[in-house]
Amino acid sequence: MRITVFGAAGNSGSRVVTEALSRGHEVTAVVRDAARFTDLHPDATHRTGDAGVPDDVRRLSASQDLVVNATRPAPGREAEHPAITRSLLAGLAGTGVRLLVIGGAGSLTVPGTEGVLAIDDPRYVPAAWRHIAAASNAQYDEVRTTQTDVAWTYLSPSALFEPGTRTGEFRLAKDEILVDAEGNSSISMEDFAIALLDEAERPEHHRGRFTVGY
């Protein structure tokens, strides 16, 4: 496939690029500043653009099969999260290009709590993470409530989402946060990238959300 990744130099975006290239896909890696080209995988096509600008989204998704949004707003700019989602949906409208959004865990429900959201449980979203978690919840609300012809999928990681090891062993769920026997919720960015590319190649969550965890 031909895949465009916005936020390609970030922690999660760079791992998506690497995983996609390893599977033989053609990847266009997008950053806002050309100075970050040195941070991009050498086998990807390097481009500049802003996911928050619909014209950039349309230009960089032309002739592509899939767009992946791996952008993450800087602290203090969390309000950009839902705005970028609106831009992506606007830029992809009418193109037939699919959209995969790397989201957050805060909108997942906690097992055994009758619907308590992870953002309201400090075991999974500590106070220091609430700003970005709330922005990610708004991002999810934006993509699921916008009237659009874009075929989107929203991927929520587990609560702890960090660089780690590519094991290829994980579980999938829909709207409930995945936890282990001790109540921990985690996924490496490497394994998350596997799940994302699996969905890209064999879509199973059309205009829906799923989550990945150990």
Side-chain angles (χ1 to χ4, degrees):
M1 299 191 314
R2 297 180 300 275
I3 302 172
T4 293
V5 180
F6 285 95
N11 279 333
S12 59
S14 62
R15 285 159 175 81
V16 168
V17 170
T18 297
E19 181 69 26
L21 289 169
S22 75
R23 298 182 184 211
H25 301 298
E26 298 177 16
V27 179
T28 298
V30 181
V31 290
R32 288 191 291 184
D33 186 349
R36 299 208 67 185
F37 281 176
T38 56
D39 299 328
L40 298 175
H41 197 294
D43 294 336
T45 299
H46 302 170
R47 294 286 185 268
T48 57
D50 189 337
V53 178
D55 286 347
D56 281 7
V57 174
R58 187 169 292 271
R59 170 174 59 86
L60 291 161
S61 63
S63 302
Q64 300 295 84
D65 300 299
L66 173 71
V67 165
V68 177
N69 178 34
T71 62
R72 182 182 176 91
R77 301 177 64 176
E78 289 86 0
E80 293 180 4
H81 236 1
I84 287 172
T85 300
R86 288 193 296 273
S87 172
L88 286 161
L89 292 173
L92 294 177
T95 66
V97 179
R98 293 168 53 215
L99 173 65
L100 295 187
V101 178
I102 299 177
S107 57
L108 296 167
T109 58
V110 177
T113 64
E114 298 184 355
V116 171
L117 297 182
I119 192 173
D120 296 319
D121 190 327
R123 292 176 298 173
Y124 304 114
V125 180
W129 297 357
R130 278 191 64 88
H131 288 306
I132 186 61
S136 295
N137 285 12
Q139 174 197 45
Y140 179 49
D141 287 342
E142 191 71 43
V143 73
R144 70 186 180 87
T145 60
T146 298
Q147 297 297 314
T148 179
D149 67 347
V150 178
W152 59 268
T153 301
Y154 188 92
L155 288 72
S156 287
S158 292
L160 186 62
F161 183 42
E162 295 181 334
T165 303
R166 186 186 189 280
T167 71
E169 298 182 3
F170 47 80
R171 295 179 291 152
L172 304 180
K174 183 169 174 53
D175 294 312
E176 188 173 86
I177 196 166
L178 288 164
V179 300
D180 63 18
E182 288 74 42
N184 301 309
S185 174
S186 66
I187 188 69
S188 73
M189 290 179 173
E190 289 78 4
D191 280 340
F192 184 89
I194 295 176
L196 185 149
L197 266 298
D198 287 349
E199 175 70 19
E201 295 172 348
R202 298 180 297 279
E204 295 184 4
H205 301 88
H206 177 69
R207 294 189 184 172
R209 184 257 292 278
F210 72 100
T211 184
V212 187
Y214 294 127

